[in-house]
Amino acid sequence: MRRICAVNRIARPVSGTLLRRLALTSIIANVGIVVTGGAVRLTASGLGCPTWPRCTDDSYVTTPEMGVYGVIEFGNRMLTFAVGLIALATLLAVLAHQPRRRGLLPLAVAVFLGIPAQAVIGGITVLTNLNPWVVGLHFLASMAVIAAAYALWRRIGDPDGPTVPTVPTPLRTLARVTTGVSVAVLVIGTWVTGSGPHAGDHGAARNGLDPESISQVHADAVFLLIGLSVALIFAFRAVGAQRATRAAIVLLAVELGQGVIGFVQYFTHVPALLVGAHMLGSCLVLLATLSVQWSTRERRPVTPTPQATRADAATPVPVTA
């Protein structure tokens, strides 16, 4: 009897609360590895381990001869395993959750597989001596994993019923346009980074774009994004969509904070600390944008079918003496 009870405790289904906490932890971990990856680049440690998947031709780990640069680069590689373990734990929790939630498994798999894919792109950046275009792709791959992790976290908190809009169709279209511009801002931001001074290594090439010109393009895209966000606030408020209004206000606040950091770093000749803060801000802008997109619709609880209701009503209820 004791053995049966122990087995039941081990095989007990994962609760929805634990599942959502794991998904939130996955978001935080993926944002964290973006920030630590920025630290690798900003400390010129991008080639601290000059090859991949090994750290040197003869060793998988850093050596004393490689100094602090090797420690920083190798440490960031090790963090990838920690992020992957969190994603694996989340995937196993999704599989163990009862009843099985439709829609969760594809997102959990996407997060789990996205991490090694992102690591491979990181390896290619090393093998190409920090090619700025590949470095930009490495950052955008991290953004894609964060987006998938956020979608998983939000989907866990939603019921499994049909999706219904919370705002009129034109406003949902406006939210999609805002999301597209937000993604464009992130992409152009990688071009700005590829033209700037923080290459990740003193000998790494730049993308050849004029830093001043591409920074102006980036600033123009940011102004467009801010304008769209202001429009969303007034439009959502006009139709009484309070949840969407709050999400749009948060997005605007994050954009303004990110914009201030961007302008200060540009006029102070791109100090490393502000660049790191700007990378964190990029992750927050993405998450706030996704929150706005999510607020334009909601899922309703599953309603039982009439056949199931009649069957349940006809089922006799056992009476215990």
Side-chain angles (χ1 to χ4, degrees):
M1 180 63 69
R2 291 181 178 178
R3 289 183 178 180
I4 295 175
C5 293
V7 171
N8 288 335
R9 284 196 297 268
I10 295 173
R12 186 170 53 188
V14 174
S15 68
T17 301
L18 175 59
L19 185 57
R20 201 153 195 255
R21 287 176 179 174
L22 283 171
L24 180 60
T25 302
S26 183
I27 296 173
I28 296 172
N30 279 283
V31 171
I33 202 167
V34 169
V35 176
T36 58
V40 171
R41 180 169 59 85
L42 295 171
T43 57
S45 303
L47 295 178
C49 288
T51 188
W52 188 88
R54 294 180 175 176
C55 193
T56 68
D57 291 334
D58 301 321
S59 175
Y60 281 98
V61 300
T62 184
T63 60
E65 293 78 14
M66 302 171 71
V68 66
Y69 298 115
V71 172
I72 294 174
E73 163 65 7
F74 182 73
N76 187 65
R77 293 187 183 189
M78 290 299 98
L79 284 177
T80 302
F81 289 99
V83 177
L85 287 175
I86 295 173
L88 176 60
T90 306
L91 175 59
L92 294 176
V94 167
L95 293 172
H97 186 271
Q98 295 296 331
R100 182 68 59 84
R101 297 281 308 278
R102 60 188 177 91
L104 298 187
L105 185 58
L107 291 171
V109 171
V111 175
F112 177 66
L113 296 182
I115 292 170
Q118 188 257 15
V120 169
I121 298 174
I124 296 174
T125 64
V126 174
L127 297 177
T128 58
N129 295 319
L130 305 182
N131 181 290
W133 300 106
V134 182
V135 172
L137 180 62
H138 186 46
F139 172 78
L140 294 176
S142 295
M143 294 294 103
V145 175
I146 290 173
Y150 179 84
L152 175 62
W153 177 67
R154 291 298 298 261
R155 184 66 183 83
I156 292 170
D158 287 345
D160 290 330
T163 302
V164 295
T166 58
V167 298
T169 300
L171 298 190
R172 297 188 72 193
T173 302
L174 181 59
R176 293 191 189 99
V177 172
T178 304
T179 300
V181 174
S182 182
V183 172
V185 168
L186 293 176
V187 173
I188 299 172
T190 64
W191 302 347
V192 176
T193 300
S195 68
H198 298 291
D201 186 79
H202 299 297
R206 301 284 73 204
N207 59 21
L209 299 176
D210 178 59
E212 184 175 351
S213 298
I214 195 61
S215 295
Q216 183 61 57
V217 173
H218 183 58
D220 292 341
V222 170
F223 286 132
L224 175 59
L225 179 59
I226 291 176
L228 289 171
S229 301
V230 172
L232 283 175
I233 293 174
F234 284 102
F236 289 155
R237 182 172 294 175
V239 298
Q242 296 182 0
R243 186 165 68 100
T245 302
R246 289 193 297 268
I249 291 174
V250 171
L251 173 60
L252 179 62
V254 173
E255 291 167 353
L256 292 176
Q258 176 75 333
V260 169
I261 295 174
F263 276 108
V264 172
Q265 74 170 6
Y266 179 80
F267 290 108
T268 55
H269 306 292
V270 202
L273 184 61
L274 286 181
V275 174
H278 201 56
M279 293 186 68
L280 174 60
S282 297
C283 298
L284 298 180
V285 168
L286 174 64
L287 292 172
T289 302
L290 294 174
S291 177
V292 170
Q293 190 66 51
W294 217 269
S295 69
T296 61
R297 92 296 180 278
E298 65 181 8
R299 284 184 178 272
R300 299 286 173 82
V302 178
T303 55
T305 61
Q307 293 82 359
T309 303
R310 287 195 298 268
D312 293 340
T315 301
V317 178
V319 177
T320 303

